Amino acid sequence: MEQCACVERELEKVLHRFMTYSHQSEERLDELLRNVCELRSQLVAFGVQDADLSVFSQTMTQCCKEIKETVQMLASKHKDIHGSVSKVGKAIDRNFDAEVSAVVAETVWDTPERQKYLSETIVEHLYRQGMLNVAEDLCQESGVVIDMSMKQPFLELNRILEALRTQDLRPALEWAVTNRQRLLDLNSTLEFKLHRLYFISLLNGGIGNQMEALQYARHFQPFAAQHQRGESARGHCPLAAQVFRPNDIQILMGSLVYLRHGIENSPYRTLLETNQWAEICNIFTRDACALLGLSVESPLSVSFASGCMALPVLMNIKQVIEQRQCSGVWTHKDELPIEIDLGKKCWYHSVFACPILRQQTSESNPPMKLICGHVISRDALNKLTNAGKLKCPYCPMEQNPSDAKQIYF
């Protein structure tokens, strides 16, 4: 990321100079325009007499001189901006390697099946982003056939998200009510927060919405058990010393007392924070994807972000291999020569390393469970087999290698 920061600093310098140049240019040109307009007004109002020709000539000469100096000044500063732009290009060339083919498997997308998987992944990403027309065009041009049952959830999800972005809660509320039981099974608070946000929108309408807000408060009744008043974080204590915290429903109902004077002027003004709309969009996306069995983030986005983090490390490996003339070390393109840490955010499944060969298992070398319960890789099992018998490297039990079973993490 340091390379990106270096390029970003150069870009900020260019933008700062451009804004400064734009401001100075406007000021200077406006000043010249005012002077020329004043001179023209004087000529129209008083005319030019023979005796004033010398004065008029000097004035025009001075005006032309100022215009020429301004043009030269602006041209010089514009040239400086071009120099700053070229520095951005040099910073990109200095911090990024344009040739990355050496760290990519050349045949990774050769088969039609893999190309189909890639196209489907891109189409799914476009559906997730709401770019439905682009996704349809890609399907037509690539020949990918997407079943309507796959499209429909994304169409509905994007329709509801677009409504939420315009602060229209009704489509999301209808969806939440329809899927109430499934959301409750996930311990989701989506429906309650949608009703809460709608109640707050009624509070924004002032005292005129008081009765409607009171009637709408009935929607909170199914959620009273989940949002009931409880003990504070101090733990269990005698009844006399118990400290209770108000629940969300109590806070909402208490705000009605201040409706006449305006919620923004009350202790409940935090209810009007605008970041709640962005939060409800995130909650809806998370819960909707959970019900659909999808990840919250697009697989294409995750793959791209992981690739951006891994690429600098791979380029460094390539450079070291070339410098030390040991190109034969990295021969298997489907397995990296070193581990690349992508952070906990990219941990999606357990990885098993064979305790005997110290190698990470793969599809061609899967983990195998022995009768005794110990797990080793298939390659280790084959190497430890002697005369059709296998002795577990961790316990003295002898067994038949064919009794080992492949396990899946």
Side-chain angles (χ1 to χ4, degrees), residues 221-235:
Q221 192 274 332
F223 310 99
Q226 291 85 0
H227 298 270
Q228 63 185 356
R229 185 174 61 184
E231 294 180 29
S232 69
R234 298 184 185 183

Side-chain angles (χ1 to χ4, degrees), residues 196-247:
R196 177 180 180 273
L197 203 52
Y198 192 88
F199 184 85
I200 292 172
S201 68
L202 293 176
L203 298 181
N204 273 326
I207 193 65
N209 289 341
Q210 185 176 25
M211 291 305 300
E212 185 179 356
L214 281 170
Q215 293 176 357
Y216 193 83
R218 297 176 181 176
H219 289 88
F220 298 135
Q221 192 274 332
F223 310 99
Q226 291 85 0
H227 298 270
Q228 63 185 356
R229 185 174 61 184
E231 294 180 29
S232 69
R234 298 184 185 183
H236 297 286
C237 56
L239 183 60
Q242 282 183 354
V243 179
F244 291 98
R245 57 177 176 80
N247 64 15

Side-chain angles (χ1 to χ4, degrees), residues 372 374 390-399:
C372 55
H374 294 109
L390 170 68
K391 184 176 181 180
C392 176
Y394 289 96
C395 64
M397 180 180 290
E398 287 191 1
Q399 49 200 293

Side-chain angles (χ1 to χ4, degrees), residues 352-373:
F352 178 76
C354 176
I356 304 301
L357 299 180
R358 307 292 182 184
Q359 292 179 350
Q360 181 178 319
T361 55
S362 61
E363 292 182 1
S364 59
N365 181 31
M368 305 295 292
K369 177 179 175 294
L370 306 180
I371 295 177
C372 55

Side-chain angles (χ1 to χ4, degrees), residues 365-407:
N365 181 31
M368 305 295 292
K369 177 179 175 294
L370 306 180
I371 295 177
C372 55
H374 294 109
V375 180
I376 60 177
S377 67
R378 180 180 288 170
D379 288 350
L381 184 145
N382 294 332
K383 289 184 178 182
L384 292 173
T385 300
N386 186 12
K389 291 291 183 180
L390 170 68
K391 184 176 181 180
C392 176
Y394 289 96
C395 64
M397 180 180 290
E398 287 191 1
Q399 49 200 293
N400 192 329
S402 61
D403 294 333
K405 295 182 178 180
Q406 181 177 343
I407 61 175

Side-chain angles (χ1 to χ4, degrees), residues 38-298:
E38 288 177 3
L39 181 60
R40 182 176 180 277
S41 300
Q42 292 176 3
L43 291 173
V44 172
F46 303 105
V48 180
Q49 305 297 328
D50 292 341
D52 299 331
L53 286 176
S54 59
V55 178
F56 175 71
S57 176
Q58 292 177 358
T59 304
M60 290 295 295
T61 302
Q62 182 65 28
C63 183
C64 292
K65 182 180 178 182
E66 291 179 359
I67 293 174
K68 186 176 180 181
E69 290 176 352
T70 300
V71 172
Q72 291 177 346
M73 183 269 292
L74 295 178
S76 176
K77 290 185 176 295
H78 193 269
K79 186 177 181 180
D80 293 339
I81 293 178
H82 275 286
S84 300
V85 173
S86 65
K87 288 182 180 179
V88 175
K90 292 177 181 178
I92 293 174
D93 295 337
R94 185 171 60 253
N95 289 282
F96 296 97
D97 196 329
E99 180 55 48
V100 297
S101 60
V103 298
V104 179
E106 298 176 356
T107 59
V108 67
W109 303 116
D110 279 0
T111 64
E113 185 180 11
R114 291 182 176 180
Q115 292 178 7
K116 177 176 174 290
Y117 289 151
L118 177 61
S119 298
E120 289 178 349
T121 303
I122 296 174
V123 170
E124 179 185 333
H125 176 78
L126 294 174
Y127 278 135
R128 283 172 173 264
Q129 301 299 316
M131 305 172 69
L132 308 179
N133 294 333
V134 180
E136 293 295 334
D137 290 343
L138 178 59
C139 289
Q140 292 179 3
E141 295 182 10
S142 63
V144 174
V145 179
I146 303 296
D147 190 76
M148 191 61 192
S149 60
M150 177 182 173
K151 295 182 190 178
Q152 191 59 38
F154 292 114
L155 296 175
E156 185 179 17
L157 189 146
N158 280 285
R159 177 182 64 83
I160 296 174
L161 279 176
E162 285 299 320
L164 287 176
R165 293 188 184 107
T166 59
Q167 300 189 2
D168 181 7
L169 292 166
R170 296 186 185 279
L173 280 168
E174 292 173 0
W175 182 89
V177 170
T178 304
N179 297 277
R180 174 178 294 175
Q181 189 55 51
R182 297 175 66 194
L183 290 171
L184 290 176
D185 293 341
L186 293 174
N187 294 323
S188 171
T189 59
L190 175 63
E191 186 180 353
F192 171 75
K193 289 190 175 182
L194 287 169
H195 286 303
R196 177 180 180 273
L197 203 52
Y198 192 88
F199 184 85
I200 292 172
S201 68
L202 293 176
L203 298 181
N204 273 326
I207 193 65
N209 289 341
Q210 185 176 25
M211 291 305 300
E212 185 179 356
L214 281 170
Q215 293 176 357
Y216 193 83
R218 297 176 181 176
H219 289 88
F220 298 135
Q221 192 274 332
F223 310 99
Q226 291 85 0
H227 298 270
Q228 63 185 356
R229 185 174 61 184
E231 294 180 29
S232 69
R234 298 184 185 183
H236 297 286
C237 56
L239 183 60
Q242 282 183 354
V243 179
F244 291 98
R245 57 177 176 80
N247 64 15
D248 291 334
I249 298 177
Q250 287 175 314
I251 292 173
L252 292 171
M253 301 311 296
S255 65
L256 291 172
V257 177
Y258 296 89
L259 199 57
R260 185 177 299 276
H261 301 287
I263 302 299
E264 65 277 4
N265 302 318
S266 73
Y268 297 92
R269 56 182 173 271
T270 55
L271 293 175
L272 306 179
E273 292 178 352
T274 56
N275 61 353
Q276 296 178 95
W277 290 99
E279 180 188 4
I280 202 66
C281 288
N282 293 333
I283 294 174
F284 172 77
T285 302
R286 181 195 66 200
D287 292 350
C289 288
L291 292 188
L292 294 172
L294 300 171
S295 60
V296 177
E297 295 185 73
S298 163

Side-chain angles (χ1 to χ4, degrees), residues 2-20:
E2 179 62 28
Q3 291 85 347
C4 294
C6 291
V7 175
E8 189 175 3
R9 284 194 291 269
E10 293 294 337
L11 185 60
E12 288 176 353
K13 291 179 183 178
V14 173
L15 293 175
H16 176 70
R17 290 188 177 183
F18 181 80
M19 295 302 296
T20 303

